[in-house]
Amino acid sequence: MKPTVLLTHPLPPDWIASLEGQVTLIIGQEETPGWRDNLLQALPQAEGILSLLTARVDEAILEKASRLRIVSNMAVGVDNIDVKACTRRGIPVGNTPGAMTDATADLAMSLLLAAARRLPESSRDAREGRWQTWSPTGWLGADLRGATLGIIGLGKIGRAVAERARGFGLRVRYWQPHQSPEGEAGGAEYVPFEALLSSSDFVTLHCPLNESTRGLIDESALRKMKPSAILVNAARGPVVDTSALTRALSENWIASAALDVTDPEPLPPSHPLFSLPNCFIVPHIGSATHGARKRMAEMACENLLAGLRGERLPNCVNPEIYKP
Ligand code: GLV
């Protein structure tokens, strides 16, 4: 008997080729990734879950899945999963670190550059007939060389952003709860949180979403930033307090924001952030390259199959379950 695996959203067959012949797949529907009826009904038979970051795997789901042996998330972030509840049940949780490091760092730099040079606004002006002449003072943006980039969260992605930023002549500082010897060897300077906010021309977020980072960029943090500062978020939406950011941008506490992630997600098109000229939003595309997404799916399958075989996952976020 092949084990039953719930896949919360269809994926291209060549991304999940390693599952062929190994598992019975029950697949969620295309339009709304998450817990569709067919998946909910199959939970009691499920031995594995291959989830996207849009599917919450919480107590309510786990309670129905009494045969579950592995939760494999096709993402590096696991904030959609109640990892503690999985750990209590001895269920390993897999993620996909490394697969999207370069893609996400490239996207963060794209956001930073686009906001610094006001690409969304100037492109709109060109298209809508406001490009009358070459204006010496039109669409002036921020200089990068010599400016300070503050990175919050100097993990793999943060370090990849630091590496790119140095190529643009940015001075790189960082903050996270623990100093990073690897990051410092790469030239990033550790500074306290408040100092990072008040001294950075650009602040970019690369921390995981957890209890200590939820709402980290709140009104008080935004008020500490320079009025000329640009905020980039390619981490998770709830790291930033959306209503505080909306006020900060409308009242010019900071210059602009470029967001790959929002809270809620998706952000409704009627949300005030979309009508602010100094806010630029893309739909959570940090890892959206052909190579990164395929590798993420392959890694998620590797974790899934290892879990089903009762082996240690190649990438496990709760390895404490293996301790005797
Ligand atoms: C994407 O956002 C991820 O966590 O992999």
Side-chain angles (χ1 to χ4, degrees):
M1 271 286 279
K2 286 184 259 171
T4 298
V5 169
L6 309 189
L7 169 58
T8 61
H9 188 265
L11 293 174
D14 62 316
W15 294 9
I16 53 169
S18 63
L19 301 186
E20 199 165 338
Q22 306 293 313
V23 303
T24 301
L25 264 189
I26 299 183
I27 306 179
Q29 287 165 29
E30 185 74 59
E31 332 75 71
T32 19
W35 291 103
R36 307 295 300 176
D37 290 350
N38 65 326
L39 295 177
L40 286 171
Q41 275 160 25
L43 273 172
Q45 290 100 65
E47 290 177 63
I49 291 176
L50 205 167
S51 49
L52 301 196
L53 52 83
T54 41
R56 275 209 63 72
V57 181
D58 53 17
E59 276 287 359
I61 292 292
L62 294 171
E63 251 165 42
K64 294 193 186 84
S66 52
R67 303 184 63 195
L68 193 64
R69 292 190 281 131
I70 159 79
V71 176
S72 177
N73 210 32
M74 188 186 139
V76 68
V78 289
D79 46 283
N80 57 310
I81 297 174
D82 186 339
V83 177
K84 285 190 186 139
C86 290
T87 306
R88 279 197 298 277
R89 290 169 161 83
I91 299 173
V93 177
N95 71 339
T96 63
M100 76 299 289
T101 301
D102 286 325
T104 308
D106 290 346
L107 194 268
M109 282 309 292
S110 310
L111 291 175
L112 189 154
L113 291 166
R117 300 304 303 274
R118 301 172 59 185
L119 300 190
E121 264 177 277
S122 54
S123 162
R124 204 177 316 119
D125 286 346
R127 199 175 51 232
E128 293 173 5
R130 287 183 290 278
W131 177 16
Q132 309 280 320
T133 181
W134 182 88
S135 160
T137 54
W139 302 291
L140 300 181
D143 294 291
L144 267 69
R145 185 164 298 282
T148 298
L149 172 67
I151 300 181
I152 295 186
L154 202 66
K156 282 194 175 62
I157 298 172
R159 293 200 299 276
V161 171
E163 182 193 330
R164 284 154 177 75
R166 278 191 296 276
F168 285 90
L170 285 155
R171 167 179 176 198
V172 180
R173 300 179 135 190
Y174 78 98
W175 176 83
Q176 64 182 11
H178 312 288
Q179 284 184 237
S180 156
E182 277 162 293
E184 283 170 28
E189 178 198 359
Y190 179 84
V191 284
F193 182 59
E194 275 81 16
L196 180 120
L197 294 173
S198 60
S199 65
S200 297
D201 300 295
F202 305 94
V203 173
T204 186
L205 309 178
H206 299 291
C207 52
L209 173 64
N210 54 37
E211 284 122 57
S212 53
T213 59
R214 186 175 290 277
L216 183 70
I217 305 300
D218 58 4
E219 167 163 356
S220 123
L222 289 160
R223 285 197 186 272
K224 289 191 179 80
M225 289 171 65
K226 295 184 181 185
S228 56
I230 293 174
L231 176 70
V232 173
N233 189 4
R236 284 291 184 268
V239 175
V240 177
D241 175 335
T242 303
S243 56
L245 179 64
T246 309
R247 281 190 58 210
L249 292 170
S250 10
E251 296 171 16
N252 302 312
W253 310 348
I254 64 170
S256 62
L259 311 174
D260 179 41
V261 289
T262 57
D263 179 28
E265 212 168 273
L267 197 67
S270 59
H271 193 281
L273 276 181
F274 276 117
S275 52
L276 292 172
N278 54 351
C279 187
F280 167 39
I281 300 173
V282 295
H284 202 152
I285 56 169
S287 62
T289 67
H290 294 286
R293 286 279 167 84
K294 182 168 192 277
R295 185 67 198 125
M296 286 164 73
E298 288 167 350
M299 286 177 77
C301 292
E302 286 160 18
N303 284 330
L304 178 87
L305 291 173
L308 291 173
R309 286 192 298 261
E311 292 166 7
R312 205 181 166 102
L313 311 191
N315 290 287
C316 184
V317 299
N318 55 348
E320 60 273 28
I321 63 154
Y322 297 116
K323 296 217 176 91

